[in-house]
Amino acid sequence: MSLGYAEKLSFRADVGKVGMPELFDSDIDLQSKVEKLAELIRESRHMVVFTGAGISTSCGIPDFRGPKGIWTLQHEGRPMPKAETPFHQARPSLTHMALVELVRAKLLKFIISQNIDGLHLRSGVPRAQLAELHGNCFMEKCPSCRKEYLRDTEVETIGLKETGRRCVLANCGGKLIDTIVDWEDALPSTELYLAEKHSKEADLVLCLGTSLQITPACNLPLKALRSGGKLVIVNLQGTPKDKKATLLIHGRVDEVMAGVMKHLQRRIPPFVRIDRMIVSCSFSWTRRKSVRWLLRIASVQGQREPLHFLKCVEVMYPHRPDMKQGLLHEQPYVVRRETMKLKALDVLLKLHLGEGCMCSTVEIEHALNFESCRSTNQIALLNSSETMQIIACKTPEINLETAMETLRVQAADDETCGRVAILETRDLPTSRGSAVEYAIVTSIFTHALAIKRERLDEHFSESKRGLENSIDFKEGIPKKPRQFKPRSKNFAPDSDISSK
């Protein structure tokens, strides 16, 4: 959770039990329970997962009631804990990514989250399969048309207050509000309806990293019990619902989920970070038959919003050596030119990526057309070492979530950072010209614990085959055992391993 969020909440003396001791199952019990949980998931027809702050602690975000939780330290009169990672740079944990894989495998039907950190959406969980009961600190919403705006930085307000921005949809222009509920606010009706619906339909509810103390959210998992469903709780502390649980696991959620995925024979996908931007070009013809044009590189959230993933942009013209190249350091990135008797122009944009990105540069070749253009429908996926040619024309509507998921899956499969996809191409509403929205894979992170289990599985499989091959069953004579070398001497199980 965001420390800023905790500080902005209105004061409440009674926040429930805090600072309870952490409980750990023995290794043997933990292994047995993990196997049982995997079997329950395999047998379920409608599994729902209910998540709390405990699934984000490994991301560097403090919880509330743990030994070093925010409310625990406040209760003891000690200073607030420090986040290990800037909040907008936090990346989803192994548990987040395991849930993404379970959704893709159709083993997980719905996620109900009390967290406001936005990591479920960032991990790739479809919006339609997620209820964020307490809101999302990166989300704004238009109360008039219900459109949601997911920002790159935290929204400044909480308590469903106006943020100072307006809806950009035509014929709307409503005042945007934040989505974070304060103590006295009711839970959002749409989110609560979906959460209740899926809880009643569930034959298995898996609670991960939650103390199940905040009402009314904590009572949702119990709705499954009334229709014969089962309740599983994975938490390091006791909860008020423990006696109602079919299975109670005291262990770290990342370790539990890594074991579950192993038994389900499911790979934990890497986290693929995708950043988006819009390249627009407006133009007008002069009486001298020259064209004046303006090229702008901006955020999808508005021209005044920063592009945090960019350091600078080189603008080049590969087929026009007579035209001067440009290096843009300050946002907004804008190029203004006037060119004689020009109907089309290829512009090469070399994006220099900033801190937190795993590739240094990405090149996009953007083809400008200063004449009327036909409607096309294009989605391109490529590597950072390649370039992309696009004629900026209006395209039929593309499903944004589908295009993003396609990009995310392909980048994860071939572990290629720097892939680019065209999400949308549209005409500018107020002037001649068009805009293209790009999605760019800027980082791919694979969790070390997932890699460790994969390597151990491979090693044990090879060892087993070696043992079987060490006996010549025809002659009954032992062969010389095969020797296996460790994959890596410097393997660190508690750190993240990044792959490009």
Side-chain angles (χ1 to χ4, degrees):
M1 294 295 180
S2 167
L3 301 183
Y5 160 68
E7 292 174 339
K8 293 174 185 176
L9 281 173
S10 57
F11 176 75
R12 183 169 179 171
D14 182 16
V15 294
K17 293 183 179 180
V18 297
M20 293 182 293
E22 292 186 338
L23 307 172
F24 292 90
D25 291 327
S26 67
D27 291 344
I28 296 177
D29 287 345
L30 185 62
Q31 179 64 25
S32 174
K33 291 180 178 181
V34 166
E35 292 179 9
K36 176 63 176 176
L37 175 55
E39 186 63 27
L40 290 174
I41 293 175
R42 193 180 291 111
E43 295 174 351
S44 69
R45 297 188 305 274
H46 195 103
M47 182 176 74
V48 172
V49 168
F50 187 82
T51 64
I55 73 167
S56 298
T57 53
S58 62
C59 308
I61 301 173
D63 61 11
F64 286 99
R65 292 184 172 81
K68 296 182 180 179
I70 295 171
W71 289 336
T72 300
L73 296 183
Q74 284 183 341
H75 180 74
E76 296 173 354
R78 298 162 62 187
M80 293 273 281
K82 294 183 179 180
E84 298 175 8
T85 306
F87 199 59
H88 66 277
Q89 292 182 7
R91 58 180 181 263
S93 66
L94 181 148
T95 296
H96 287 100
M97 299 314 303
L99 296 181
V100 170
E101 177 62 20
L102 293 178
V103 169
R104 291 174 181 168
K106 302 188 184 305
L107 293 171
L108 173 57
K109 305 301 183 184
F110 200 76
I111 297 175
I112 305 168
S113 181
Q114 303 168 98
N115 298 344
I116 56 94
D117 53 31
L119 290 176
H120 280 304
L121 282 180
R122 201 177 300 177
S123 68
V125 173
R127 184 67 180 95
Q129 291 178 262
L130 172 67
E132 295 178 308
L133 295 180
H134 297 158
N136 184 326
C137 70
F138 295 95
M139 185 84 75
E140 291 178 273
K141 190 172 186 177
C142 177
S144 300
C145 67
R146 317 305 292 177
K147 179 176 174 59
E148 295 178 334
Y149 295 83
L150 189 62
R151 307 300 187 186
D152 292 330
T153 55
E154 289 185 69
V155 178
E156 296 83 2
T157 62
I158 72 164
L160 311 179
K161 298 182 179 65
E162 293 180 2
T163 63
R165 287 180 281 265
R166 289 184 175 271
C167 181
V168 299
L169 290 185
N171 303 321
C172 183
K175 295 181 179 180
L176 301 183
I177 62 172
D178 67 78
T179 60
I180 304 296
V181 296
D182 205 343
W183 286 112
E184 66 274 9
D185 295 319
L187 298 184
S189 57
T190 302
E191 310 288 317
L192 184 58
Y193 168 77
L194 290 173
E196 289 181 336
K197 174 180 179 294
H198 284 278
S199 295
K200 292 175 182 178
E201 295 176 359
D203 57 0
L204 175 63
V205 176
L206 173 59
C207 298
L208 298 174
T210 172
S211 62
L212 294 169
Q213 292 193 52
I214 298 296
T215 57
C218 67
N219 293 319
L220 287 170
L222 302 183
K223 294 183 181 294
L225 301 180
R226 298 171 187 171
S227 56
K230 297 176 180 178
L231 174 65
V232 177
I233 300 175
V234 181
N235 200 51
L236 284 178
Q237 297 172 310
T239 81
K241 317 298 183 187
D242 285 356
K243 293 182 179 180
K244 299 181 182 296
T246 304
L247 180 63
L248 182 62
I249 303 177
H250 292 303
R252 302 188 190 280
V253 287
D254 283 354
E255 295 177 3
V256 171
M257 290 307 298
V260 166
M261 298 301 282
K262 173 190 172 184
H263 288 291
L264 292 175
Q265 297 182 338
R266 292 284 173 182
R267 173 176 176 259
I268 299 174
F271 165 56
V272 178
R273 171 180 162 183
I274 297 178
D275 289 288
R276 295 156 58 194
M277 70 177 191
I278 291 178
V279 179
S280 62
C281 180
S282 59
F283 64 92
S284 62
W285 289 92
T286 68
R287 294 181 180 180
R288 305 192 306 273
K289 295 185 179 181
S290 65
V291 59
R292 292 175 180 169
W293 52 275
L294 183 148
L295 182 72
R296 184 190 301 271
I297 303 168
S299 169
V300 297
Q301 300 157 6
Q303 294 184 0
R304 297 182 181 179
E305 297 295 325
L307 289 163
H308 293 283
F309 70 98
L310 289 181
K311 287 195 300 187
C312 61
V313 178
E314 288 185 68
V315 182
M316 297 170 280
Y317 311 95
H319 305 303
R320 291 290 302 269
D322 57 311
M323 296 183 66
K324 185 178 179 181
Q325 301 180 3
L327 180 61
L328 308 177
H329 283 286
E330 296 183 1
Q331 301 187 32
Y333 301 119
V334 175
V335 176
R336 290 182 175 87
R337 289 291 177 92
E338 180 174 346
T339 315
M340 296 298 295
K341 298 180 180 180
L342 187 66
K343 296 182 179 180
L345 178 66
D346 289 336
V347 179
L348 180 63
L349 302 175
K350 188 172 184 179
L351 311 178
H352 292 261
L353 306 186
E355 184 180 357
C357 298
M358 290 177 56
C359 44
S360 57
T361 61
V362 174
E363 292 185 352
I364 300 175
E365 188 170 339
H366 185 88
L368 305 180
N369 189 348
F370 300 117
E371 294 183 315
S372 60
C373 54
R374 299 177 182 177
S375 176
T376 61
N377 183 8
Q378 305 179 47
I379 294 183
L381 299 174
L382 47 112
N383 298 331
S384 58
S385 59
E386 301 171 326
T387 57
M388 172 168 50
Q389 293 187 343
I390 304 152
I391 297 178
C393 306
K394 184 178 180 180
T395 63
E397 188 172 336
I398 298 171
N399 186 298
L400 175 63
E401 199 165 82
T402 300
M404 292 278 282
E405 181 64 8
T406 300
L407 177 62
R408 186 178 286 112
V409 170
Q410 293 197 10
D413 286 345
D414 59 17
E415 297 184 340
T416 302
C417 184
R419 275 184 172 267
V420 180
I422 304 172
L423 300 181
E424 184 183 11
T425 308
R426 58 182 179 270
D427 293 333
L428 296 178
T430 58
S431 60
R432 296 184 67 184
S434 54
V436 180
E437 180 177 343
Y438 295 99
I440 306 166
V441 175
T442 55
S443 298
I444 302 176
F445 296 97
T446 301
H447 290 277
L449 188 56
I451 294 177
K452 180 181 179 182
R453 287 195 175 273
E454 289 179 4
R455 290 179 176 175
L456 286 174
D457 290 344
E458 291 176 10
H459 180 74
F460 289 142
S461 296
E462 292 175 357
S463 299
K464 184 177 179 181
R465 287 195 298 270
L467 182 61
E468 292 172 350
N469 294 334
S470 65
I471 301 293
D472 188 331
F473 290 98
K474 290 184 179 180
E475 304 295 335
I477 302 173
K479 294 181 179 179
K480 185 178 180 180
R482 295 170 61 191
Q483 300 295 321
F484 295 94
K485 297 180 180 180
R487 291 296 183 96
S488 174
K489 295 182 179 179
N490 300 321
F491 181 71
D494 295 326
S495 62
D496 281 342
I497 293 181
S498 304
S499 59
K500 293 187 180 181

